Amino acid sequence: LNADSIVVEVENDVPAAAVSGLATIHVDEDDLSTASGDLSTGITDGDGDTDQATFTSASLQALVTPGADEPIDFALQGAAINGTNVVTTGGANVLSQGVQVKYYALDATHIIGFADTNGNGVQDGGEREVFRLTDNGDGSFTFDLNDQLDHAAGSGDEAILSLDLTGIFTATDFDGDAVTLNADSIVVEV
């Protein structure tokens, strides 16, 4: 027989976004404290929630049907998101003290949301870090709120602002096939 005369073709299996799924965490703005390094101090309501919460690996894995090339690896986008607006699940721009909050990748494992006072999309000296998202290296990601976000005027203590973080994540299977996550599937409630 000649070389390559018997061939077996193996079709690739690619991951898909789960039909339904939502990874949601909750942080309380009223638990901000300058004593712990935050830029504001809230009036705690004592409900046990804090200004920091973690997306578990399991909650993120539930967003994807991995197929044969498991597992799915979640990571942060990196510099491609620098200067893009942070938005809510409804698509509204997120503000802090009236200033647009934008994303900036500090490195491969840290993305911040900062108040872009001059509107140039780059965190310049004096521009406040409003939140930080950290890749913990074990499939989980921790969100730490560092400063206030603007909720609707007169909305009261129980008002929730739902930040859509879906676009700052990537999800790939073992051999590098990417999956597009469903819109509004990774959310932080503030």
Side-chain angles (χ1 to χ4, degrees):
L1 293 174
N2 294 329
D4 299 329
S5 61
I6 299 176
V7 176
V8 175
E9 293 180 347
V10 178
E11 182 179 343
N12 192 21
D13 184 31
V14 296
V19 174
S20 64
L22 184 63
T24 303
I25 57 174
H26 180 89
V27 297
D28 273 4
E29 187 178 75
D30 53 12
D31 284 299
L32 291 170
S33 171
T34 55
S36 67
D38 295 325
L39 301 176
S40 296
T41 296
I43 303 170
T44 187
D45 57 10
D47 64 3
D49 291 323
T50 68
D51 64 354
Q52 183 173 311
T54 299
F55 291 105
T56 64
S57 176
S59 70
L60 294 172
Q61 293 293 324
L63 301 176
V64 178
T65 303
D69 295 326
E70 58 190 325
I72 297 296
D73 180 44
F74 282 83
L76 298 175
Q77 277 281 4
I81 54 87
N82 287 351
T84 60
N85 293 350
V86 177
V87 296
T88 66
T89 54
N93 288 329
V94 174
L95 306 176
S96 175
Q97 296 179 6
V99 177
Q100 175 66 55
V101 178
K102 295 185 180 178
Y103 291 114
Y104 186 77
L106 298 176
D107 54 40
T109 60
H110 299 91
I111 290 179
I112 63 168
F114 71 98
D116 190 14
T117 54
N118 64 8
N120 70 353
V122 176
Q123 187 191 25
D124 300 309
E127 291 182 325
R128 296 174 290 112
E129 180 179 315
V130 178
F131 64 80
R132 180 178 293 234
L133 184 66
T134 301
D135 180 342
N136 298 318
D138 60 1
S140 69
F141 295 80
T142 299
F143 181 93
D144 184 16
L145 185 66
N146 298 313
D147 206 359
Q148 61 189 305
L149 293 175
D150 299 349
H151 292 74
S155 57
D157 186 50
E158 298 302 316
I160 299 291
L161 194 62
S162 296
L163 311 183
D164 179 10
L165 301 189
T166 310
I168 66 171
F169 281 87
T170 62
T172 54
D173 69 10
F174 187 78
D175 65 1
D177 295 315
V179 59
T180 301
L181 300 170
N182 292 329
D184 302 332
S185 60
I186 303 176
V187 176
V188 176
E189 294 177 340
V190 182

